[in-house]
Amino acid sequence: MVTGMKHIKFAVAAMIAAICLPACNKALEETEIDEPAGSFTITASNDSNTRSSLIGGSGTDRNNVTFTKGDELSVCTYKTTVNDFGSSQNNVRFQMSGNPYSDGSADFSGEITLSNNPDIYAMYPYQEGVTCNANSSGITMHVTIPIVQKPVKGSYDPAAALSAGKAAPLSNKRTSISLTNLCCLIKFTVPEGRHATRAEFSDNLMDYNNLTLAGNVDIKITSGGAVSLDLQSGRGPYSSEDTVILEGDMEGGCDYYFVVAPIQLQSMQVTLYDGDKKISDVLTNKDVTLKRSQILDLGIMGYRELKG
């Protein structure tokens, strides 16, 4: 990788590993001319350094992360017009160009109609169907944490780990953005000599609290750049998703991760299957609070009750 910038690392402590996770005052112009769609570049980094993949290694380097080839951003804009009305552009695809820098940041390029110095917001990773409701106070992006995720040996599904932020003002067709990580990771190890094709993580009491581990969620970004994940917006009773699934081959002796929303778990259960055969089950009734950018490490799976 290119050298010259710093790595930020996951720091693991006990069962939960905590990892390190611009306002623009616009003056309305007298006239406004829309430029044709033009290319510009976003240099994206992440304040928690939780990106699309974990990089193997030893010791504290084991959980270094970086953008990887093929990564994309969902970009939305908002601008205030001379008549004090607003207009926006939804879900423009920006693709990673070149290689990531040594600190894990990377350049993303795309085309968007630029006028009146619009506010620029972005989410990683790109998702089809993202819609944005924007006004002068900020933006709400309607997105999804996938319920069924792809198992990646030593890492997590890059399509599942959401991060978002507001970009700095454009300058010479470039801008930068620090993406705030919004999700948590649940880590487990498949026992040696075993093989799994499906893993399920659930909280059996989740529905009673009308919360969600995954599924449809809202990302809220203020005009000042504060980012949050809304798990309940527009939801009725019992509409939450209380199970997240990894579906695909998982090797014995290897680590895998679920990506979930930050939440307080109450009755947690993790089950592994090889085809139709249940090969491992871990459950606990201990409350565990997951904050964004944290890892809950369940260790090697087996038939046991998780003590806390």
Side-chain angles (χ1 to χ4, degrees), residues 170-245:
L170 276 172
S171 177
N172 296 322
K173 293 194 173 182
R174 294 190 67 91
T175 185
S176 62
I177 189 168
S178 177
L179 300 172
T180 297
N181 178 49
L182 295 167
C183 296
C184 312
L185 300 178
I186 310 296
K187 176 184 176 182
F188 66 92
T189 304
V190 179
E192 288 280 0
R194 296 282 192 172
H195 172 264
T197 58
R198 182 181 175 94
E200 296 180 356
F201 178 84
S202 61
D203 187 317
N204 298 327
L205 299 180
M206 192 74 68
D207 261 348
Y208 293 104
N209 296 324
N210 192 28
L211 296 174
T212 186
L213 284 171
N216 296 327
V217 296
D218 286 347
I219 296 174
K220 295 183 180 295
I221 312 174
T222 69
S223 57
V227 185
S228 61
L229 192 65
D230 187 348
L231 307 180
Q232 294 180 310
S233 180
R235 297 179 181 276
Y238 312 113
S239 63
S240 61
E241 295 294 342
D242 58 11
T243 301
V244 177
I245 298 165

Side-chain angles (χ1 to χ4, degrees), residues 34-42 73-78 88-94 109-115 118-122 170 173 175:
D34 279 344
E35 298 178 12
S39 297
F40 71 94
T41 299
I42 299 174
L73 300 177
S74 287
V75 175
C76 300
T77 69
Y78 175 81
S88 60
Q89 296 172 87
N90 276 336
N91 204 30
V92 180
R93 186 193 304 260
F94 272 59
S109 297
E111 290 191 349
I112 215 160
T113 301
L114 301 173
S115 65
D119 290 338
I120 299 170
Y121 302 88
L170 276 172
K173 293 194 173 182
T175 185

Side-chain angles (χ1 to χ4, degrees), residues 18 38 74 85 137 146 149 174 184 236 248-249 255 291 298 306-307:
S74 287
F85 294 105
S137 299
Q149 301 173 9
R174 294 190 67 91
C184 312
D249 288 333
D255 299 334
K291 298 179 181 179
L298 301 179
L306 185 66
K307 303 295 184 181

Side-chain angles (χ1 to χ4, degrees), residues 18-227:
I19 43 182
C20 312
L21 258 207
C24 175
N25 294 321
K26 302 188 300 293
L28 299 184
E29 300 176 359
E30 301 251 339
T31 60
E32 176 181 314
I33 301 174
D34 279 344
E35 298 178 12
S39 297
F40 71 94
T41 299
I42 299 174
T43 301
S45 61
N46 193 302
D47 66 349
S48 65
N49 209 35
T50 301
R51 315 208 211 294
S52 63
S53 66
L54 300 176
I55 299 174
S58 60
T60 55
D61 289 335
R62 186 166 182 234
N63 289 323
N64 286 352
V65 288
T66 183
F67 285 113
T68 52
K69 185 177 180 180
D71 280 345
E72 298 175 321
L73 300 177
S74 287
V75 175
C76 300
T77 69
Y78 175 81
K79 65 177 181 179
T80 304
T81 67
V82 293
N83 296 318
D84 208 23
F85 294 105
S87 64
S88 60
Q89 296 172 87
N90 276 336
N91 204 30
V92 180
R93 186 193 304 260
F94 272 59
Q95 297 178 318
M96 181 175 158
S97 54
N99 296 316
Y101 298 107
S102 62
D103 67 343
S105 63
D107 288 341
F108 292 80
S109 297
E111 290 191 349
I112 215 160
T113 301
L114 301 173
S115 65
N116 202 31
N117 193 22
D119 290 338
I120 299 170
Y121 302 88
M123 181 195 77
Y124 173 84
Y126 177 83
Q127 288 185 0
E128 294 286 352
V130 169
T131 58
C132 306
N133 294 333
N135 56 43
S136 58
S137 299
I139 195 169
T140 298
M141 305 176 78
H142 306 292
V143 303
T144 301
I145 301 174
I147 298 164
V148 179
Q149 301 173 9
K150 177 180 68 175
V152 179
K153 183 168 64 174
S155 188
Y156 51 87
D157 186 346
L162 307 183
S163 57
K166 181 184 177 184
L170 276 172
S171 177
N172 296 322
K173 293 194 173 182
R174 294 190 67 91
T175 185
S176 62
I177 189 168
S178 177
L179 300 172
T180 297
N181 178 49
L182 295 167
C183 296
C184 312
L185 300 178
I186 310 296
K187 176 184 176 182
F188 66 92
T189 304
V190 179
E192 288 280 0
R194 296 282 192 172
H195 172 264
T197 58
R198 182 181 175 94
E200 296 180 356
F201 178 84
S202 61
D203 187 317
N204 298 327
L205 299 180
M206 192 74 68
D207 261 348
Y208 293 104
N209 296 324
N210 192 28
L211 296 174
T212 186
L213 284 171
N216 296 327
V217 296
D218 286 347
I219 296 174
K220 295 183 180 295
I221 312 174
T222 69
S223 57
V227 185

